[in-house]
Amino acid sequence: MGPVMGFSLEAKGEPTVYWAGDTVLYPAIEKTIHDTKPDVIVTHSCGARWDGALIVMDAAQTIAVCEASKKSIVVATHMEALDHATVSRGDLRAAASAHGIALPRLLIPDDGDVLTLIPPVV
C-alpha cells in the first residue's frame, strides 16, 4: 500500500522503543530491529488485510519478531480494533504459547490497559 513509517524513541535512563507502525515484517524492519536492538518493540499485529493482501503483521510475523529480538519485549497492538483484522488477542496468545513465547516477552494489552516500561538494568 506504499511507504510506511515507524520510529524509534531513545532517552537517557529510559528503555528504547521501536514502534514499527502499520507494516508487515520485511527485511528493512528486521534490519532496524537487528541494528537498534530496542528494549521494546510495538507491533500492529491484527493481521489486517486489504483486497486480500496482508497490510500489518499477523500472528506468524509477530512471533517472528519475538524470535528475532531475544532481548526485546514485544507489545502487540491493534487486535480487535479494526474491521478488516484477522487476528484476535486470543489467536495471538495461542500462537505465542505454541511457540513457547510467554509473558513478559510478548505483551498483548487489553483496551484501556496501561503499561509501565522499566529501563533495563545495565
Side-chain angles (χ1 to χ4, degrees):
M1 292 187 72
V4 299
M5 183 187 84
F7 54 90
S8 295
L9 302 170
E10 297 180 22
K12 187 175 181 172
E14 299 295 335
T16 60
V17 177
Y18 172 52
W19 196 301
D22 281 347
T23 185
V24 294
L25 183 61
Y26 71 105
I29 302 298
E30 294 171 321
K31 182 175 178 359
T32 298
I33 292 168
H34 177 267
D35 291 353
T36 63
K37 297 174 180 43
D39 299 307
V40 178
I41 301 169
V42 180
T43 59
H44 297 184
S45 299
C46 69
R49 294 185 172 275
W50 189 264
D51 289 335
L54 190 65
I55 59 173
V56 298
M57 293 183 204
D58 59 10
Q61 291 185 353
T62 303
I63 299 304
V65 169
C66 292
E67 291 173 340
S69 56
K70 298 293 185 195
K71 80 169 199 99
S72 303
I73 294 170
V74 176
V75 180
T77 66
H78 276 42
M79 272 79 57
E80 299 152 19
L82 304 169
D83 61 355
H84 53 290
T86 62
V87 177
S88 70
R89 290 176 179 101
D91 295 336
L92 185 53
R93 283 185 189 103
S97 179
H99 286 85
I101 298 169
L103 293 171
R105 290 264 304 117
L106 176 61
L107 302 177
I108 307 170
D110 288 321
D111 293 344
D113 280 356
V114 175
L115 303 178
T116 301
L117 305 175
I118 309 287
V121 177
V122 288

